[in-house]
Amino acid sequence: MSEHVEIRSGVYRDSVALLQVSKHVAAVAGVEAAIIAMATELNLDLARQMGFTGLDAAEPADLLIAIRCGDDVLETALTEMEGAMASSPSVAASSLEVPAHTVGAALRRADEATLVLLSVPGAHVLPEALDALEAGRSVMIFSDNVPIAHEVLLKELAAQRGLLVMGPDCGTAIVGGVALGFANVVRRGDVGIVAASGTGAQQLACLLDHAGIGISQLIGVGGRDLRAEVAGRSTIQALSALDADPGTTDIIVVSKPAPAEVTHAVRAVAERLSTRVTFCVLGPGQPTMSDTVSSLVQSRHGTSPKWPAVGVREQQPRAGRLSGIYSGGTLADEAMVIASSRLGEVRSNIPLSPGLLIGPNERASTHVVIDYGDDELTRGRPHPMIDPSIRLERIAMDAADPSCAVILLDVVLGHVADPDPAATLAPALRAAGKPVIVSLIGTEADPQHWSRTAEALADAGAEVYLSNAQATARAVDLVAEGTVA
């Protein structure tokens, strides 16, 4: 067995590109372990956990290459790594143009820009966002883990200047037909979406697309915008912007459960607009995202759409608990609302009430839905929509747990997401040995293709639904009532 540890200086690749390189090398026959990553403290800790040594001289700006494999495989593994590295985007030291190191410097080179997209560690967002706002540009903040006081400050300043702050933790937007972050390929149309929810926005856009209705603009405002501290500041700004957009004739506001005083204030603003606004604020007794889109389609066409499903078959209810393994917080919230209405208490790391809190890796004897895309679980690592390894571990744990009756999970397609999630998940689903229900969020125009992915997941034994609400209802149907205290 050979172990190759190499530290390279002066080479930089972003974490997503390096994740793909690591996966490519790990897939080489005879490779036992591989990590190719920037030598941050987090990645060095991960390499040590994998058993690699000789890492002490590495600095955060260095590239770490660590491969363990059979003696006769090392040369092939290194060749494959160099090939994958060569095909990944780079920020080369020999680049003819020196990259701008601040937002202010970048904007001096792009006078025509009207929107700045920030993706830097959350603690460093404030000065860059202030630079953009003071230069008269709206901001989309992809970063998470931004202090909420900074969010309020930025949104107050933006409102004073007639600008918009999208985020923090705004992972999805479609502005002027351009997809930003995690976004699906959907048809253009006349429905505007204001989303305090990334995967909620993607679910709405994909359901609308399936029903033949397109999107004018999809404006993410960050998952905390309807919290009491932020008071819907960006939601109100976005509603005004869409009301002034001649290409928008309907607006949908989507959010996780939110305080009543905030939603009442935002609804009061919406009632003064000339454009029809529909609210989809998830919670007990409220319409699901599928219900919301069905109502809009019914109002326009007089008929309700039928959501596609693949691999549905006769299965008997099983004794035990439901395990929801999600990458999208709003999808997880919707699943909890539906499941708890029929099964009783559902515990979670993002619970519907504080008393139902449970850690993501805790074993449970009751129904559980975990959001692996939560801020606490994505600090210093790729989102599970990109890197599914953390969810694969949970699927394997639930597969081996006789108390788990049914596994429910989301798979989100589109730009930035895993380019072939079916190939990634299929071995784990085949080995599960119990019903697996998949909420597959995507469209036929996505790079992964909804139908092709659905068929591949169904071949691995899953039932696959476009509607997260339908997927959850089906999973609940397969849990025998009264078998969990």
Side-chain angles (χ1 to χ4, degrees), residues 83-103:
M85 289 279 289
S87 63
S88 66
S90 66
V91 181
S94 60
S95 175
L96 295 175
E97 183 179 26
V98 176
H101 293 293
T102 67
V103 167

Side-chain angles (χ1 to χ4, degrees), residues 415-483:
H415 295 301
V416 185
D418 188 333
D420 190 358
T424 304
L425 288 166
L429 302 190
R430 286 196 182 93
K434 57 191 65 177
V436 177
I437 309 301
V438 174
S439 166
L440 181 62
I441 311 303
T443 70
E444 298 299 344
D446 280 332
Q448 304 91 342
H449 301 279
W450 191 91
S451 292
R452 188 171 67 200
T453 303
E455 293 289 350
L457 292 170
D459 285 346
E463 293 188 20
V464 184
Y465 298 80
L466 174 62
S467 160
N468 183 60
Q470 284 190 348
T472 304
R474 174 59 173 159
V476 170
D477 286 343
L478 293 175
V479 176
E481 292 184 15
T483 56

Side-chain angles (χ1 to χ4, degrees), residues 13-14 53 70 73 134 153 162 191 211 250 262 265 278 297 305-306 308 310 360 365 378 400 404 443 447 481-482:
R13 299 289 192 279
D14 70 54
T53 58
V73 176
E134 289 172 358
L153 173 65
V191 175
D250 267 296
V262 177
T278 301
V297 175
K306 183 177 180 181
V310 177
S365 58
T378 57
C404 176
T443 70
E481 292 184 15

Side-chain angles (χ1 to χ4, degrees), residues 69-212:
C69 60
D71 294 334
D72 58 343
V73 176
L74 180 59
E75 184 176 347
T76 300
L78 290 172
T79 300
E80 290 294 326
M81 183 207 69
E82 297 294 356
M85 289 279 289
S87 63
S88 66
S90 66
V91 181
S94 60
S95 175
L96 295 175
E97 183 179 26
V98 176
H101 293 293
T102 67
V103 167
L107 287 174
R108 285 193 288 276
R109 299 179 186 179
D111 288 341
E112 73 281 5
T114 58
L115 176 67
V116 172
L117 194 159
L118 290 178
S119 180
V120 298
H124 303 293
V125 159
L126 182 63
E128 303 301 329
L130 286 173
D131 266 2
L133 294 174
E134 289 172 358
R137 269 71 164 202
S138 294
V139 187
M140 174 177 169
I141 303 172
F142 189 85
S143 318
D144 55 11
N145 292 299
V146 175
I148 200 161
H150 293 181
E151 179 175 352
V152 173
L153 173 65
L154 291 169
K155 290 183 173 179
E156 284 182 346
L157 181 60
Q160 293 167 9
R161 301 189 173 206
L163 301 171
L164 181 63
V165 171
M166 302 163 63
D169 198 15
C170 178
T172 299
I174 300 175
V175 180
V178 177
L180 301 170
F182 295 102
N184 301 93
V185 182
V186 296
R187 68 191 75 211
R188 296 295 302 275
D190 63 349
V191 175
I193 297 176
V194 179
S197 153
T199 51
Q202 290 186 264
Q203 169 78 113
L204 287 180
C206 293
L207 291 171
L208 287 165
D209 185 83
H210 177 77

Side-chain angles (χ1 to χ4, degrees), residues 338-352:
I338 294 169
S340 60
S341 70
R342 293 176 52 190
L343 298 175
E345 291 184 345
V346 177
R347 298 174 71 82
S348 176
N349 62 327
I350 55 164
L352 295 177

Side-chain angles (χ1 to χ4, degrees), residues 214-232:
I215 302 300
S216 58
Q217 316 283 347
L218 192 168
I219 301 176
V221 294
R224 302 184 303 202
D225 195 68
L226 292 183
R227 284 192 185 179
E229 304 96 308
V230 188

